[in-house]
Amino acid sequence: MTAAEAEITAPMADWVRIEDLYENPYPIYRRLREESPVAWVPAVGRYLVTSFEACHRIEQDAETFSANEEGSLMKRSMGHSMLRKDDPDHQTDRAAYGPVLRPKAIKETWTAVFEKNAEKYLEEFRAKGPGADLHLGFAAPFAAENLREIMGFRNATQQDLQRWSQTMIDGTGNYADDPEVWAKAAASSAEVDAAIDELVPALKAEPDASLLSAVVNAGMPIEAIQANMKMTIGGGLNEPRDVLGTAVWALLSNPEQLAQVLADPALWATAFEEAVRWVAPIGMYPRQTTREVEIGGATLPAGARLGVVLGAANRDPEQFENPEAFDINREKKPHLAFGGGAHFCAGAWVARTSVAQVALPKLFASLPGLRLTDRPAREGGWVFRGMLELPVAWN
């Protein structure tokens, strides 16, 4: 604990354990919100912020709540990416992403890629036969191959991206400071650097539509290219993969809602937004106070390390009625699954298009009678949360 954090004015939640957060964080979030929406949690070495109002306020006030956290696990795992920068440095990095990830480019360039990959990996998944794991057998390779092509890693495979993503994400969430986790993250980081180094000369000579080409030819320094590509490999893979799995699990667990969606294809987008609210794939991100500030009934000193818990904010009963339930018919209200403010997720439209417009409709059309099996589905995580296993059957 730093000197600043020694001046604790928020309640201490020393009953919270990392293993319980990983298994099922939601009962913990409910208790934290009820007792104090800002509480010091020794197990993770930061104040966890669990109310919608407080999380939303933090996202809108970058001057007080800085993304450029000291001792950041993400910086250690991936380098100093735009996610750990404040404006104007953040915007300088992010500007190069815009032409590749904006809705017009997704419609004109990437939707056809998503459709091609959905058909390929659905065919491979169908060949595995009923009882196969949809998470590993379809959602993961589909999201990884989409990302590989968008990013322009023609010297890597989708399996490489899956491994890079998981090991570096594990580093970003390594609050237990496990040395084996750090070693795997460092190995993947070095592989990504080598792949980028190999591609940069070719992309300077012959630019293409990829994200890597865009940042290289925008003149981004190599250290920033490396860090931002690693950040994108993390969030750009796990977010569409995990919301896809969550949406399928939720719809199969709620057959009346599934029937509604199958009868009205416009509801695929609604199901996507409810799934990403219900289980936020990026469940928590850090911030650090730049001054003494009152928030959520607590007065925090300058330098206080915060965990902005989107997974808790999106289930706050002050914002959502019956928030623990998956309900596509709930009143439409904004959620925080893609963050907000200057750091609103740059890949949000990729996730929405690849999952809601392409993967979900094709999946249910290709696998008639899609249903859960007797073998239970499993989910896990809290910094990042999604399915671990999703066995399904079909006719």
Side-chain angles (χ1 to χ4, degrees):
M1 189 184 306
T2 67
E5 290 160 345
E7 304 171 25
I8 293 173
T9 58
M12 180 183 296
D14 55 4
W15 50 271
V16 177
R17 302 190 312 161
I18 291 177
E19 53 265 44
D20 296 332
L21 285 167
Y22 183 91
E23 184 67 25
N24 182 8
Y26 299 111
I28 296 170
Y29 296 160
R30 286 196 297 272
R31 179 176 168 184
L32 287 171
R33 269 196 315 265
E34 291 166 2
E35 294 182 358
S36 175
V38 178
W40 174 257
V41 179
V44 297
R46 63 186 59 240
Y47 298 93
L48 291 189
V49 182
T50 50
S51 73
F52 185 96
E53 187 279 331
C55 289
H56 181 63
R57 177 183 161 194
I58 289 169
E59 290 183 332
Q60 302 303 315
D61 185 0
E63 289 188 6
T64 302
F65 303 100
S66 173
N68 192 13
E69 182 191 46
E70 298 170 7
S72 164
L73 298 185
M74 176 174 270
K75 289 182 191 176
R76 179 173 174 180
S77 182
M78 301 180 178
H80 197 177
S81 74
M82 69 177 80
L83 276 187
R84 292 296 163 264
K85 294 179 180 179
D86 299 318
D87 284 340
D89 294 337
H90 161 266
Q91 185 55 39
T92 298
D93 284 5
R94 184 170 175 133
Y97 273 52
V100 180
L101 301 182
R102 65 169 56 113
K104 183 175 186 290
I106 292 169
K107 180 179 180 180
E108 294 178 352
T109 303
W110 301 118
T111 299
V113 172
F114 304 155
E115 291 173 345
K116 173 200 67 175
N117 290 335
E119 291 166 5
K120 173 185 177 180
Y121 289 107
L122 274 172
E123 183 177 349
E124 292 184 7
F125 181 71
R126 193 163 43 237
K128 296 177 186 294
D133 180 358
L134 186 75
H135 172 68
L136 292 179
F138 174 67
F142 170 70
E145 181 61 15
N146 288 342
L147 185 64
R148 188 192 70 80
E149 295 195 50
I150 290 172
M151 295 189 74
F153 278 105
R154 54 182 185 248
N155 56 351
T157 65
Q158 61 90 0
Q159 291 90 343
D160 289 328
L161 266 78
Q162 287 197 56
R163 177 169 46 81
W164 293 344
S165 178
Q166 193 59 56
T167 51
M168 290 189 297
I169 275 178
D170 288 346
T172 296
N174 191 19
Y175 288 90
D177 200 25
D178 184 331
E180 184 176 348
V181 169
W182 287 128
K184 290 180 179 179
S188 289
S189 178
E191 288 183 36
V192 175
D193 288 346
I196 291 171
D197 288 344
E198 182 181 359
L199 289 169
V200 165
L203 291 172
K204 284 183 176 179
E206 294 186 34
D208 59 25
S210 72
L211 189 58
L212 186 54
S213 178
V215 298
V216 166
N217 290 292
M220 187 181 288
I222 188 63
E223 295 82 4
I225 291 173
Q226 292 168 341
N228 285 309
M229 292 299 99
K230 292 168 193 173
M231 174 271 294
T232 305
I233 290 169
L237 197 159
N238 86 293
E239 193 147 28
R241 178 198 67 193
D242 291 346
V243 71
L244 173 54
T246 294
V248 172
W249 183 41
L251 288 169
L252 294 181
S253 301
N254 293 274
E256 292 182 359
Q257 295 183 53
L258 174 59
Q260 281 184 264
V261 176
L262 292 175
D264 181 4
L267 290 176
W268 287 118
T270 305
F272 173 93
E273 297 298 334
E274 175 61 358
V276 81
R277 178 209 66 85
W278 187 53
V279 179
I282 299 176
M284 188 278 285
Y285 63 77
R287 288 291 185 265
Q288 187 166 13
T289 58
T290 60
R291 61 177 178 85
E292 183 178 291
V293 61
E294 189 281 328
I295 185 166
T299 300
L300 305 182
R305 291 153 58 88
L306 311 181
V308 184
V309 189
L310 304 181
N314 279 349
R315 292 197 181 195
D316 187 340
E318 294 294 318
Q319 176 72 3
F320 304 101
E321 184 177 355
N322 192 20
E324 304 292 333
F326 176 87
D327 182 6
I328 63 170
N329 299 301
R330 70 170 60 255
E331 180 184 355
K332 187 175 181 180
K333 289 186 175 181
H335 60 70
L336 300 179
F338 292 114
H343 285 87
F344 182 82
C345 177
W349 287 107
V350 169
R352 285 172 168 142
T353 303
S354 65
V355 175
Q357 292 186 26
V358 176
L360 286 172
K362 284 184 178 293
L363 178 67
F364 281 89
S366 299
L367 302 175
L370 187 65
R371 58 193 178 274
L372 299 175
T373 70
D374 293 336
R375 185 159 59 94
R378 292 194 308 120
E379 61 175 344
W382 70 286
V383 178
F384 301 91
R385 188 165 182 85
M387 305 308 301
L388 301 174
E389 288 183 273
L390 184 54
V392 295
W394 56 92
N395 297 337

